[in-house]
Amino acid sequence: MNDRPDFSKHANHAATAPAYFSVWDLHAYYGESYIVQGVSFTVHEGEILALLGRNGAGKTSTLRSIARLASPQVTHGEIWLDHQHLHTMASHEAAIAGCALVPEDRRIIPGLTVEENLKLAQIVEPVGWSLDRLYELFPRLGERRAQEGTTLSGGEQQMLAIARALARDIKVLLLDEPYEGLAPVIVREIEKTLMLIKEQGITTIIVEQNAVAALKISDRAVILEGGQVVFDGSAKEVLDNAALRAEYLAI
């Protein structure tokens, strides 16, 4: 007999308001490994969604699939952003459509200053936030605009990676482990920044091992296990449900 608690009843694929971003029945593979097994969820405009689960649950693979990267290979499913079908697009087309992925390794370009990293992002149309607006949001980057990006601290590099995404006209921001390796004081600074971005109406999906920190700034949470959705509900439900956290997040 299986005594594991069943939280799947919390899944909610029929939102009361029209979905701004949605993933429907997404399947993806790394070679023969079946990583994303029918993932579905929706996000509303301006929401922050925490995409959570243990290591190997399929979180990063789902983000990469949404961004239309070559790996993993998506074999089935639909991805919609503001009535645009991302699932038929190449990665550069999805980026132009407004989908921006900030990967865990941040991908700061060596040899370029902070400002050059930002200006390079703005070559891609349509252009998003101005440099002045980005420096207002990230004062540290303004102070270090002439410094080579790869010489920044880890927290400053994360700020630069997020700012570089905003330098384009984006609609959904995908963050993969944004708090990785950062001191708690820097995590709080990034959290404040993400809340300011939310106020601008940008939709954010955050994958983060520090689940409690992610949940505190999120409106909703989706938990994956074995490449499948096992919970879809409010972030508060997860924070308030010790059994759910222990079962699927080990916290």
Side-chain angles (χ1 to χ4, degrees):
M1 179 177 177
N2 187 352
D3 295 325
R4 293 173 60 183
D6 179 12
F7 298 110
S8 60
K9 64 180 182 295
H10 292 279
N12 176 21
H13 300 310
T16 56
Y20 183 72
F21 177 87
S22 64
V23 173
W24 178 250
D25 198 23
L26 188 67
H27 298 255
Y29 289 77
Y30 284 110
E32 297 298 319
S33 298
Y34 188 16
I35 302 298
V36 181
Q37 303 183 16
V39 167
S40 299
F41 61 86
T42 62
V43 194
H44 298 125
E45 187 172 7
E47 276 190 330
I48 299 178
L49 174 79
L51 185 61
L52 306 174
R54 299 173 188 263
N55 287 335
K59 307 181 301 296
T60 293
S61 297
T62 298
L63 281 195
R64 290 177 61 86
S65 298
I66 290 169
R68 308 299 297 140
L69 300 186
S71 179
Q73 180 185 8
V74 175
T75 59
H76 183 78
E78 298 181 4
I79 307 163
W80 293 85
L81 171 58
D82 193 20
H83 307 293
Q84 301 173 93
H85 38 87
L86 298 188
H87 50 279
T88 64
M89 298 183 184
S91 59
H92 71 281
E93 294 171 324
I96 292 171
C99 181
L101 171 64
V102 177
E104 182 179 356
D105 60 6
R106 297 158 191 156
R107 306 278 174 89
I108 305 303
I109 301 174
L112 297 186
T113 66
V114 166
E115 190 152 305
E116 287 168 341
N117 267 273
L118 296 175
K119 285 183 175 179
L120 186 62
Q122 291 183 325
I123 292 174
V124 180
E125 295 290 344
V127 174
W129 292 18
S130 68
L131 290 178
D132 287 344
R133 190 179 180 194
L134 290 171
Y135 291 147
E136 182 179 352
L137 182 63
F138 299 98
R140 291 193 191 189
L141 298 184
E143 295 167 2
R144 294 160 173 75
R145 67 183 72 190
Q147 184 175 334
E148 185 176 342
T150 54
T151 67
L152 298 174
S153 68
E156 290 164 351
Q157 286 192 33
Q158 187 64 62
M159 293 175 193
L160 177 55
I162 295 172
R164 188 176 55 190
L166 295 171
R168 297 190 289 104
D169 185 20
I170 68 169
K171 297 178 179 179
V172 61
L173 179 64
L174 310 175
L175 297 173
D176 191 9
E177 303 288 355
Y179 305 152
E180 177 68 26
L182 302 185
V185 65
I186 303 299
V187 168
R188 289 192 291 272
E189 194 168 339
I190 298 292
E191 288 173 342
K192 291 177 183 177
T193 300
L194 295 180
M195 294 307 293
L196 290 172
I197 292 171
K198 172 183 170 67
E199 291 175 5
Q200 303 303 311
I202 293 174
T203 302
T204 300
I205 301 175
I206 179 171
V207 163
E208 179 53 58
Q209 284 300 318
N210 187 346
V212 172
L215 288 165
K216 284 180 178 177
I217 66 166
S218 297
D219 302 290
R220 292 183 37 248
V222 167
I223 300 177
L224 302 182
E225 183 178 51
Q228 299 179 332
V229 174
V230 292
F231 175 89
D232 183 342
S234 74
K236 186 177 185 301
E237 283 181 85
V238 183
L239 286 170
D240 292 346
N241 192 325
L244 188 153
R245 296 197 313 275
E247 176 69 14
Y248 294 119
L249 303 176
I251 57 173

